[in-house]
Amino acid sequence: MRKKISILGSTGSIGRQALEVVERLGDRFEIISLTAGGNIDLLNEQIAKFKPKSVCVSANSDKIIGCKHILSGMSGLEEICSNTENDIILVAVSGQIGLKPTITAIKNHINVALANKETLVMAGDIVMKLAKENGVKIIPVDSEHCAIHQCIKDISQVSKLIITASGGPFLNKTIDDIKSAPVEDALAHPRWNMGKKITVDSATLMNKGLEVIEAHHLFGMPYENIEVVIHPQSIVHSAIEYIDGSVIAQLGLPSMHIPIQYAICYPERFEGIKSKSFSFSDIARLDFSSPDYERFGFLNLAYSAGKTGGSAPAAMNVADEEAVFAFLDGKINLFEIYQITEKIYSSHIPIKNPSIDEIFEVDKEIREKTKELINRGCECLSI
């Protein structure tokens, strides 16, 4: 029987690769719905190839060709996620737009392959509680969390999660190098091909901080028992340590096709898209080191936000998001992303147990404050 799937964000990096996996696996999947932002031309190509029953777009719905059931906006995303014909929904949109559709899918007892960081960073307590109440599986797509998911047999016997990080393009650079780094250098990730925002977050290690928060929610592990390790080769995708001292790691060549396929096929495995068969002798060496928390302050900030809980992670996340956009627009330098985020985060008074509506209010408030700070200029960044 074919697994029925909808892909939110089908024209983005993860969505495109997911459709390559689906195509490779032939008749094992049926596409129910696809959604996209502004890349309507690519969406039309996907419609012609995969023939979804419905699509959702943010705008320009009159340009859609080949699909009669056309939805738009958040209401359209939630309608797709309410369709119980789906066996699983891949949430691959970026930003806070992924939160409400994920909650809608959970409430309709539909399993979620989650590639949207903001969902758990903003509202991890709410999302995981709902998933448990509704018997829904949240299967991580990030290579690090996918690795941990594959290693765990019994979480009660796990003493530590070990999340690896390549270190990004500035691993061996000074703070002065980072301050003067142009946008193209920040986007030149040595191992992974990702969207611009997540690539910049990888350059500052903010992305790894967000993954620590996600891991806490996905696996119920205290922050004190989540460790980040720099591993430039990106062969060990993450590891776990059991209470008896045994360490189990998941290895493989860098390829997002593998964790995407694992997530949407779970619990089954099939031969699919692989970069090539893994060879220990070809790899030859694996290096590991501790992060430099002085150069990459986002790691400390993320641990602080995670331990504080409530609305603190959401505030940190949206401040970083707006600062990254400003960097990409040439308004600030790379190091100022951290300065701005830290200043905004420090001024936020966290709500202890926020509702979803309160989380979105925090998102709106912090977004406006961050833009105002950026527009006031660098003289305001002294902390």
Side-chain angles (χ1 to χ4, degrees):
M1 181 180 294
R2 294 195 294 175
K3 181 178 283 191
K4 297 179 179 180
I5 183 172
S6 290
I7 299 176
L8 310 190
S10 65
T11 60
S13 176
I14 295 295
R16 295 194 307 271
Q17 292 178 84
L19 287 173
E20 290 169 2
V21 169
V22 168
E23 186 175 18
R24 174 66 175 81
L25 294 178
D27 292 335
R28 297 188 185 277
F29 284 93
E30 178 183 349
I31 300 293
I32 300 300
S33 301
L34 299 175
T35 84
N39 196 341
I40 302 301
D41 290 340
L42 178 55
L43 179 61
N44 281 331
E45 292 177 16
Q46 294 173 346
I47 291 169
K49 179 176 288 187
F50 296 99
K51 298 177 173 52
K53 296 181 179 180
S54 64
V55 297
C56 179
V57 292
S58 57
N60 298 322
S61 60
D62 57 323
K63 296 183 179 181
I64 297 296
I65 300 170
C67 184
K68 294 181 179 180
H69 191 194
I70 303 170
L71 306 166
S72 63
M74 181 57 67
S75 61
L77 291 176
E78 293 192 88
E79 181 175 331
I80 285 171
C81 291
S82 300
N83 184 358
T84 55
E85 188 178 3
N86 286 293
D87 295 308
I88 191 166
I89 292 175
L90 171 60
V91 181
V93 293
S94 61
Q96 49 95 350
I97 194 173
L99 177 54
K100 285 187 177 180
T102 300
I103 289 175
T104 300
I106 292 170
K107 288 181 176 179
N108 283 278
H109 309 284
I110 303 169
N111 291 332
V112 175
L114 189 60
N116 173 269
K117 292 185 179 300
E118 287 78 6
T119 293
L120 294 181
V121 172
M122 292 176 69
D125 289 333
I126 295 172
V127 170
M128 296 310 293
K129 182 174 182 288
L130 277 174
K132 184 176 182 180
E133 291 172 350
N134 287 278
V136 166
K137 294 182 178 67
I138 304 293
I139 307 155
V141 172
D142 271 359
S143 62
E144 295 81 3
H145 303 112
C146 177
I148 292 169
H149 192 273
Q150 293 182 67
C151 291
I152 291 176
K153 289 185 177 179
D154 182 352
I155 189 63
S156 69
Q157 296 182 343
V158 176
S159 62
K160 183 168 67 173
L161 307 181
I162 303 163
I163 299 177
T164 55
S166 73
F170 304 115
L171 175 60
N172 299 311
K173 302 293 185 180
T174 67
I175 288 180
D176 287 337
D177 291 331
I178 294 172
K179 287 180 179 179
S180 61
V183 170
E184 54 266 29
D185 285 0
L187 295 177
H189 196 283
R191 297 292 175 185
W192 298 96
N193 181 19
M194 305 172 289
K196 288 185 178 181
K197 198 271 181 182
I198 192 172
T199 303
V200 173
D201 278 345
S202 294
T204 64
L205 291 197
M206 173 57 152
N207 189 51
K208 208 53 51 177
L210 297 178
E211 288 174 7
V212 168
I213 296 172
E214 289 180 276
H216 165 76
H217 290 297
L218 283 166
F219 306 109
M221 186 63 66
Y223 285 101
E224 293 77 10
N225 297 359
I226 304 174
E227 178 184 358
V228 174
V229 175
I230 300 298
H231 170 49
Q233 292 90 353
S234 296
I235 296 299
V236 176
H237 297 298
S238 279
I240 63 173
E241 182 178 311
Y242 282 102
I243 55 177
D244 63 359
S246 296
V247 176
I248 308 295
Q250 188 264 327
L251 288 73
L253 295 169
S255 168
M256 279 310 299
H257 289 108
I258 295 172
I260 291 169
Q261 180 172 313
Y262 174 85
I264 65 176
C265 292
Y266 182 81
E268 296 181 281
R269 291 182 187 267
F270 305 102
E271 183 177 351
I273 297 175
K274 296 185 293 185
S275 48
K276 64 176 180 177
S277 182
F278 184 79
S279 169
F280 277 90
S281 57
D282 287 347
I283 298 304
R285 61 176 290 171
L286 301 173
D287 298 306
F288 303 92
S289 62
S290 298
D292 184 334
Y293 289 91
E294 182 178 350
R295 282 186 298 141
F296 301 105
F298 269 123
L299 279 177
N300 279 328
L301 199 64
Y303 273 102
S304 171
K307 290 176 182 178
T308 301
S311 62
M316 177 195 66
N317 177 73
V318 69
D320 167 71
E321 183 175 289
E322 286 299 327
V324 169
F325 293 156
F327 168 69
L328 291 171
D329 287 342
K331 297 178 180 178
I332 62 174
N333 70 43
L334 188 68
F335 192 72
E336 286 169 346
I337 298 175
Y338 171 76
Q339 291 182 299
I340 290 166
T341 303
E342 201 280 337
K343 190 174 183 69
I344 294 293
Y345 167 75
S346 297
S347 69
H348 175 64
I349 300 174
I351 302 169
K352 187 174 181 180
N353 294 300
S355 66
I356 291 296
D357 287 341
E358 286 175 321
I359 288 171
F360 278 104
E361 281 300 314
V362 167
D363 183 278
K364 180 180 177 181
E365 176 189 344
I366 295 296
R367 200 175 295 277
E368 291 173 353
K369 286 183 176 180
T370 307
K371 289 178 179 178
E372 179 184 352
L373 178 60
I374 292 166
N375 290 334
R376 282 162 55 195
C378 295
E379 70 274 5
C380 302
L381 298 183
S382 58
I383 299 172

